[in-house]
Amino acid sequence: MAYNIDLHCHSWYSGDGVSSPEALIASARKKGLHGFALTDHNTSDGCRYLLDKGLVREDGLPVDNFLIIPGVEVTTAEGHLLCLGVILPYLKGTPAAEVCKIVHGMGGLAIPPHPYDMFRAGIRQSVLDVLEIDGLEVFNAATTLKRYNAQAFEYATMKKLPMTAGSDAHHESAIGTAYTILHTDDFSVKGILGQISKGTELNQRYLSPKDALRKTWNNWLRLRRKRVHKPPAKRGNG
């Protein structure tokens, strides 16, 4: 059976996400998705929350015929890395090669998102060439320029890497804009992740102007909050 899975989504547990995990689930169901990967920035808190609520199962099976894949988008020392099928500690700033080892040791997949988007913190080609990754996100619905997706697709084709697509949704309305289609008889976290290496189909559609503007606005607010909350420099007595 074919399953439509958005492999790159953020809830309000990300610093720039605005929707609750439950709102993402409701919106994804309405759009015909069979599941999604919750890949909040540098935290598994949203996944732990869903486990506590019974909306994610420890054994990786779906709940009410809907599958949440636990994940994190880790800001490694070299750029962003989607870590799928795992619940991780705080790893921001850790070298990408080390994060890959940790993820693989836990049975998960490491997939760099938006690697060629020069306006975003992707892992660039010089690092990709030597990194042990399990695939490449070749279509990101929120990419800054469409040619960056094309470059990712060309690289994955050249390297014969498995390909994924994701919405990079930071709001419930954007989830499922792009997603990965996987054919498998095993509708579980293990089955879906195992199918990525065997072959995927990609649903490729870009964010609407409204959703793209909302994402940019939320990013700006996140950066502004960081500046505002930065403690003032100490002054001397003289």
Side-chain angles (χ1 to χ4, degrees):
M1 181 173 173
Y3 294 99
N4 302 331
I5 311 289
D6 191 338
L7 291 174
H8 189 168
C9 303
H10 299 271
S11 74
W12 60 23
Y13 285 93
S14 283
D16 51 358
V18 298
S19 298
S20 69
E22 290 94 338
L24 292 176
I25 292 171
S27 181
R29 283 182 175 275
K30 287 180 182 177
K31 293 183 177 183
L33 292 182
H34 299 99
F36 62 84
L38 185 58
T39 54
D40 286 318
H41 292 290
N42 302 307
T43 181
S44 288
D45 286 350
C47 297
R48 294 188 184 97
Y49 169 83
L50 289 172
L51 276 166
D52 290 342
K53 289 288 185 179
L55 295 170
V56 169
R57 289 176 48 148
E58 293 275 5
D59 61 7
L61 294 176
V63 175
D64 295 330
N65 295 315
F66 194 84
L67 186 68
I68 304 293
I69 298 171
V72 185
E73 185 173 11
V74 176
T75 305
T76 73
E78 295 85 5
H80 291 180
L81 180 67
L82 292 178
C83 303
L84 303 180
V86 292
I87 290 180
L88 295 175
Y90 185 75
L91 294 173
K92 184 177 180 180
T94 304
E98 186 176 336
V99 177
C100 286
K101 283 186 179 180
I102 293 170
V103 171
H104 292 153
M106 299 173 70
L109 303 184
I111 298 177
H114 49 73
Y116 287 91
D117 194 327
M118 301 308 295
F119 297 93
R120 300 161 78 192
I123 295 176
R124 307 308 183 200
Q125 184 171 324
S126 60
V127 179
L128 292 180
D129 285 341
V130 297
L131 204 59
E132 292 186 15
I133 55 177
D134 303 290
L136 194 70
E137 182 187 80
V138 302
F139 189 90
N140 181 291
T143 194
T144 311
L145 297 172
K146 293 180 180 180
R147 72 167 180 263
Y148 296 141
N149 281 336
Q151 288 174 295
F153 179 84
E154 290 171 5
Y155 181 84
T157 300
M158 178 180 67
K159 293 289 187 177
K160 297 185 169 132
L161 290 169
M163 303 182 191
T164 68
S167 67
D168 201 351
H170 285 65
H171 187 278
E172 63 202 71
S173 66
I175 196 168
T177 305
Y179 54 84
T180 306
I181 305 168
L182 302 115
H183 296 264
T184 179
D185 294 327
D186 183 359
F187 186 40
S188 67
V189 172
K190 182 179 179 181
I192 291 297
L193 296 187
Q195 183 59 37
I196 289 176
S197 65
K198 298 174 183 176
T200 63
E201 296 176 32
L202 309 179
N203 181 77
Q204 304 177 52
R205 188 162 57 92
Y206 288 96
L207 293 185
S208 68
K210 179 180 178 181
D211 284 326
L213 180 61
R214 181 187 283 120
K215 183 177 186 300
T216 301
W217 174 254
N218 290 334
N219 284 337
W220 182 83
L221 287 178
R222 174 172 58 89
L223 294 173
R224 185 173 183 274
R225 283 197 297 269
K226 286 183 179 179
R227 295 192 195 102
V228 169
H229 293 157
K230 184 178 181 181
K234 293 182 180 179
R235 297 182 180 179
N237 294 326

